[in-house]
Amino acid sequence: MKAVLDPDCVLAHGLAAIRSQYQVPPAFPQPVLEAAEIAARRIPGEHVDRTDIPFVTLDPASATDLDQALAIETSGNDLLLRYAIADVAWFVTDGDPVDAEAWRRGTTLYLPDGKASLYPPVLSEGAASLLPDGPRPAVIFTVRVAPDGAVKLEEAERALVRSRAKLAYETVADSELPPQFAELARRIALAEAARGASRVDPPEQEVARRSNGGYALAFRARHPSEDQNAALSLAANLAIAEVLQAHHTGLFRVMAEPDAAAVARLRNSARAFGIAWPEALPLERFRDGLDAADPHQAALMLAIRRAGQGASYAPWSADAAPWHAAVAAPYVHATAPLRRLADRYVIRATLAVMNGQPVPGAVSDAFARLPKVMGRADALGGQIDRAVIDLAEAVILDGREGETFAAVVTDVDMRGARMQLSDLPVVTRIDAPGAAPGTALQVKLVDADPAKRALQFEAVGGGA
């Protein structure tokens, strides 16, 4: 982790500029806040009492918008995952001011100096959040997980739940989690391997607020409990996708496989890394054998991830079966309704079909409109994330022009080479003709401009 020294508040001013440039909402309009206050007082009336189930939540320590609570039990050789998801639709009515504002926002936007929530805090961090301070309305998905990791959605119901504990990735002990937690995650990973899934979660750059009020730029390490918890969400989303596809409805997360040109570039990258890739071996089988513990293979795994054609949303269609290449299965987003607009509608559709009811017309209409809204929101979130990283990198390196740094090329695409500095969490582009992934470089910083959020390096020689 690298502290971002900012005595002149350049970073703080830069974050304000990013908020202005990307029109991050500074607050909720007063009518939305008033409607949310009224909604937060709505008493659950269609929820069975499941407060006896020992649910817990598992999130970053600082999180207060808690979408999910989990409980696991054994059923013969199977495991039953009871996944309680915040019942946002109980509080938000189609067309009301809170709903209309959520459609304008699409997702929660995260910046180091504060987030712009999808829903007002009285809901997202209060009445709808699965905090351990009282019963909360939720939708419980009961997912059966077989020994081989196969999943099946057995039940979906509105219920009152009570979280026993707010657990954090950073500090959780195994004894605080259900005894079957790690085994369930292992089964999901086993099924992923059997499907040839290619989900890759490399370390990501992050600018985080420090306890002293400053900021730090780092490659955020993933905690084992975080990966295991992601497996639970994956299990639920796969099981829900299967049900919705069978009922010819839903909004799916889709991703195409890398095209032929991308695969050819990946083969060149493999050769540059000295990784054997037999000509007759297809990508999906080749990537299964890569080892993330090997730096070169891990870099190639990242290149494979980036070579995909990007994930998007698509409503169910008789003309095209939904498919997510990285998951290697039909897939939906249903487990983060406090942070993603689309999830609220997927949950409503699932409740309907699992209880023998027709999918509401408002939900089907939303499925047709959501891909554009979510695509715009995802793109905006990505642009803001990159702008924040670019700003922090420029602040860290401001005043160090003329210094030489060791670096390594992480990947090469149509725009040239991307490199990472060896001793700082900085990833940027450089003009290095002929460089291949894994090439070691010595680079000189030519310019660092926090106002433009820009760095300029030039290669001055190969690495030692």
Side-chain angles (χ1 to χ4, degrees):
M1 180 172 290
K2 177 66 176 178
V4 182
L5 301 179
D6 190 27
D8 298 322
C9 296
V10 175
L11 183 64
H13 292 318
L15 290 173
I18 289 171
R19 288 177 174 274
S20 176
Q21 176 183 347
Y22 292 102
Q23 300 181 347
V24 177
F28 285 91
Q30 191 60 32
V32 176
L33 293 175
E34 293 172 357
E37 289 282 354
I38 294 171
R41 297 194 292 270
R42 188 180 184 195
I43 298 173
E46 300 175 10
H47 299 74
V48 297
D49 189 339
R50 298 288 185 245
T51 55
D52 60 320
I53 299 176
F55 284 107
V56 296
T57 61
L58 181 59
D59 297 272
S62 61
T64 51
D65 48 351
L66 310 184
D67 291 287
Q68 312 136 6
L70 63 103
I72 307 170
E73 63 186 73
T74 301
S75 176
N77 291 326
D78 296 338
L79 296 176
L80 288 182
L81 166 63
R82 300 196 189 278
Y83 217 30
I85 306 300
D87 191 1
V88 179
W90 179 253
F91 298 100
V92 181
T93 302
D94 293 324
D96 73 11
V98 178
D99 177 59
E101 182 67 16
W103 274 86
R104 281 189 284 272
R105 297 184 179 221
T107 63
T108 294
L109 297 174
Y110 293 92
L111 290 92
D113 58 348
K115 63 190 175 188
S117 297
L118 178 61
Y119 298 103
V122 69
L123 295 176
S124 62
E125 300 176 49
S129 179
L130 301 183
L131 293 161
D133 58 358
R136 291 290 194 276
V139 174
I140 298 178
F141 295 119
T142 300
V143 181
R144 182 174 291 274
V145 182
D148 64 357
V151 297
K152 179 182 180 182
L153 183 63
E154 293 206 335
E155 189 176 18
E157 63 176 1
R158 277 185 149 151
L160 278 179
V161 303
R162 183 190 296 272
S163 172
R164 300 297 197 270
K166 181 181 182 291
L167 306 178
Y169 295 136
E170 300 91 330
T171 59
V172 66
D174 290 344
S175 60
E176 297 176 291
L177 292 163
Q180 310 92 337
F181 181 76
E183 170 60 16
L184 195 153
R186 187 195 68 81
R187 293 184 181 191
I188 299 305
L190 186 69
E192 284 193 278
R195 293 196 310 271
S198 61
R199 291 190 310 123
V200 180
D201 293 307
E204 296 180 350
Q205 284 173 293
E206 176 185 67
V207 179
R209 187 189 288 272
R210 306 178 79 188
S211 58
N212 64 3
Y215 298 92
L217 174 64
F219 285 106
R220 186 179 71 85
R222 290 181 65 89
H223 300 275
S225 61
E226 185 176 1
D227 290 328
Q228 292 171 326
N229 197 39
L232 273 61
S233 288
L234 177 64
N237 287 326
L238 288 171
I240 291 167
E242 182 178 50
V243 166
L244 294 181
Q245 184 177 15
H247 285 80
H248 297 173
T249 188
L251 182 73
F252 294 83
R253 190 70 167 158
V254 296
M255 176 189 283
E257 291 278 6
D259 60 21
V263 172
R265 290 195 295 271
L266 288 170
R267 287 187 174 275
N268 289 335
S269 296
R271 281 192 287 272
F273 279 128
I275 301 171
W277 183 351
E279 193 63 35
L281 190 66
L283 173 62
E284 59 270 21
R285 289 181 57 198
F286 168 69
R287 66 190 171 203
D288 292 345
L290 294 175
D291 180 5
D294 179 279
H296 282 177
Q297 295 188 46
L300 185 57
M301 291 169 71
L302 179 58
I304 291 172
R305 178 183 181 181
R306 288 175 171 155
Q309 298 182 38
S312 60
Y313 291 89
W316 182 87
S317 169
D319 299 326
W323 189 255
H324 194 294
V327 177
Y331 181 63
V332 297
H333 276 165
T335 56
L338 290 172
R339 289 168 281 168
R340 289 188 303 246
L341 174 63
D343 297 40
R344 170 157 54 103
Y345 294 92
V346 173
I347 291 170
R348 290 175 64 184
T350 308
L351 271 173
V353 300
M354 288 297 292
N355 291 282
Q357 301 170 357
V359 175
V363 172
S364 296
D365 291 344
F367 287 158
R369 295 187 290 133
L370 278 165
K372 182 177 180 179
V373 172
M374 297 305 295
R376 183 178 66 245
D378 284 350
L380 177 62
Q383 290 166 355
I384 290 172
D385 289 346
R386 189 62 251 173
V388 168
I389 297 295
D390 289 345
L391 170 65
E393 290 178 337
V395 170
I396 282 179
L397 290 169
D398 188 24
R400 300 184 66 176
E401 289 83 353
E403 289 188 34
T404 300
F405 301 83
V408 63
V409 175
T410 57
D411 60 276
V412 179
D413 59 23
M414 299 298 289
R415 293 184 294 162
R418 184 185 283 109
M419 69 172 187
Q420 176 185 324
L421 299 189
S422 299
D423 298 318
L424 288 172
V426 171
V427 178
T428 189
R429 290 190 173 274
I430 187 168
D431 183 15
T439 299
L441 299 173
Q442 289 291 315
V443 298
K444 184 173 72 173
L445 178 62
V446 177
D447 187 40
D449 188 338
K452 294 181 180 179
R453 305 192 290 269
L455 298 174
Q456 182 183 350
F457 286 90
E458 64 179 22
V460 293

